[in-house]
């Protein structure tokens, strides 16, 4: 299927425009206080509570206080006191004499997993940025909005400045057009009802009908290319990524005088995505 190039044939007028001895003796150096041993600065009760949490986490079916005290080497009264405190704070819950991880501990685990997923995406974009030599963007469509989730660039290859809200100008940039192309007709029209097409450069698509026709012609496996529709002097390409019901996109941008690099760079990005999609698919929900 032919690649869709979203550049307008003719520009039109926009409707609106981000070591010798010193002469005097030196004063003696102040005495440095002896630093305490690292272990002396630790809070013992916190250490014991953490050991209890780790022990509870090892028992999906829960565990009684006596077993937890034995496994952590704590005296039973101490274990009881700490377990009650952890239950009160929500880090543990007690059911029929057994202790389980509570909601607060589960929230910590979920937050850590989310941070790990985000780190995976950030590291992947940085790798592609360096190997291809272009700014790389990751975006997705969620709850009716275009969200730029991550941008990786360098001073030598800066990202496009968001001079007009990316959410409101999805019709004008490659990322937005790529995301809109993955929606069904009703979702597209709903988006355009909320964010109507408007000319922000002389090259921007002129109206809803023209944009919808363009979106219908876009091939799912082809890069979406736009030239100066969002920002004068910039060309962009986006690659669609669909994981389950999530519409997402990776994109690159270049100054217009390097426009001849755009398609080769987009193809390289597409190849990289194909090779690593399995490893980042679970991270697409950051």
């Amino acid at each position: 299927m032919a690649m869709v190039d979203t550049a307008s044939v003719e520009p039109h007028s926009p409707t609106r425009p981000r070591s010798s001895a010193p002469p005097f003796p030196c004063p003696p150096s102040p005495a440095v206080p002896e630093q305490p041993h690292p272990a002396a600065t630790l809070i013992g009760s916190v250490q014991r509570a953490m050991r209890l949490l780790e022990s509870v986490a090892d028992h999906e079916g829960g565990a009684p206080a006596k077993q937890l005290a034995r496994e952590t080497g704590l005296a039973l009264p101490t274990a009881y006191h700490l377990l009650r405190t952890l239950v009160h704070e929500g880090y543990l819950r007690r059911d029929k004499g057994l202790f389980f991880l509570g909601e607060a501990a589960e929230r910590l685990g979920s937050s850590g997993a989310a941070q790990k997923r985000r780190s995976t995406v950030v590291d992947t974009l940085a790798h592609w940025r360096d190997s291809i030599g272009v700014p790389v963007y990751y975006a997705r469509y969620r709850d009716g909005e275009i969200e730029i989730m991550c941008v990786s660039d360098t001073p030598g290859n800066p990202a496009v400045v968001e001079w007009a809200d990316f959410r409101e100008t999805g019709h004008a940039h490659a990322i937005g057009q790529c995301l809109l192309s993955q929606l069904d007709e009703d979702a597209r029209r709903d988006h355009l009802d909320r964010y109507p097409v408007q000319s922000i450069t002389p090259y921007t698509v002129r109206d809803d009908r023209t944009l919808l026709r363009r979106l219908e012609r876009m091939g799912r496996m082809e890069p979406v290319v736009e030239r100066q529709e969002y920002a004068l002097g910039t060309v962009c390409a986006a690659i669609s990524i669909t994981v389950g019901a999530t519409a997402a996109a990776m994109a690159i941008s270049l100054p217009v005088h390097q426009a001849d690099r755009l398609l080769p760079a987009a193809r390289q990005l597409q190849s990289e995505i194909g090779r690593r999609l399995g490893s980042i698919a679970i991270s697409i929900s950051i």
Side-chain angles (χ1 to χ4, degrees):
M1 186 174 293
M3 178 201 69
V4 175
D5 189 334
T6 69
S8 302
V9 176
E10 294 293 338
H12 58 91
S13 298
T15 58
R16 67 170 178 88
R18 280 176 20 325
S19 172
S20 60
F24 300 102
C26 293
S29 299
V32 178
E34 183 180 353
Q35 297 298 315
H37 189 278
T41 65
L42 301 178
I43 307 301
S45 59
V46 174
Q47 291 178 297
R48 292 189 286 271
M50 295 304 294
R51 290 206 301 272
L52 282 170
L53 281 172
E54 291 171 351
S55 185
V56 172
D58 288 336
H59 299 282
E60 293 186 7
K66 288 183 179 180
Q67 180 179 357
L68 295 170
R70 183 172 61 254
E71 291 178 352
T72 56
L74 298 177
L76 187 57
T78 299
Y80 269 125
H81 173 70
L82 291 172
L83 289 169
R84 285 196 300 268
T85 301
L86 290 168
V87 169
H88 179 268
E89 297 298 327
Y91 290 97
L92 294 179
R93 61 182 177 87
R94 187 177 184 181
D95 184 20
K96 298 178 180 178
L98 302 179
F99 291 89
F100 303 81
L101 290 180
E103 292 184 1
E106 291 171 353
R107 284 196 301 270
L108 286 176
S110 298
S111 177
Q115 290 178 4
K116 185 175 181 179
R117 291 196 300 270
R118 179 177 294 276
S119 178
T120 297
V121 172
V122 170
D123 292 346
T124 301
L125 263 62
H127 170 75
W128 291 340
R129 175 202 68 201
D130 296 339
S131 63
I132 305 175
V134 294
V136 183
Y137 311 74
Y138 164 56
R140 69 180 181 181
Y141 196 85
R142 180 174 63 174
D143 298 331
E145 300 291 346
I146 293 169
E147 297 183 350
I148 307 297
M149 306 300 297
C150 185
V151 180
S152 186
D153 64 350
T154 64
N157 292 299
V160 177
V161 175
E162 185 180 1
W163 73 274
D165 195 324
F166 282 138
R167 296 170 301 176
E168 300 178 5
T169 57
H171 62 281
H173 49 74
I175 289 174
Q177 294 177 26
C178 186
L179 292 173
L180 291 174
S181 73
Q182 299 176 55
L183 307 180
D184 59 34
E185 183 177 353
D186 289 341
R188 291 176 190 169
R189 292 189 178 278
D190 172 73
H191 183 91
L192 294 177
D193 285 343
R194 290 180 289 116
Y195 302 117
V197 169
Q198 54 183 315
S199 297
I200 59 175
T201 81
Y203 302 91
T204 310
V205 63
R206 301 176 184 226
D207 52 55
D208 290 8
R209 185 166 54 183
T210 302
L211 175 65
L212 289 170
R213 285 201 303 264
R214 177 188 295 177
L215 296 176
E216 290 172 357
R217 295 197 305 268
M218 289 182 179
R220 299 285 282 190
M221 302 304 295
E222 293 297 323
V224 175
V225 176
E226 62 91 354
R227 293 181 169 88
Q228 304 190 87
E229 292 191 57
Y230 174 78
L232 293 176
T234 302
V235 294
C236 302
I239 310 295
S240 65
I241 304 174
T242 304
V243 178
T246 302
M250 296 285 183
I252 60 174
S253 64
L254 283 166
V256 70
H257 69 270
Q258 297 182 32
D260 59 326
R261 291 184 55 209
L262 186 66
L263 278 179
R267 295 297 187 192
Q268 184 178 351
L269 175 64
Q270 190 171 37
S271 178
E272 294 279 356
I273 291 171
R275 282 197 293 266
R276 301 190 61 173
L277 182 58
S279 65
I280 67 170
I282 195 171
S283 304
I284 209 166
S285 61
I286 61 172

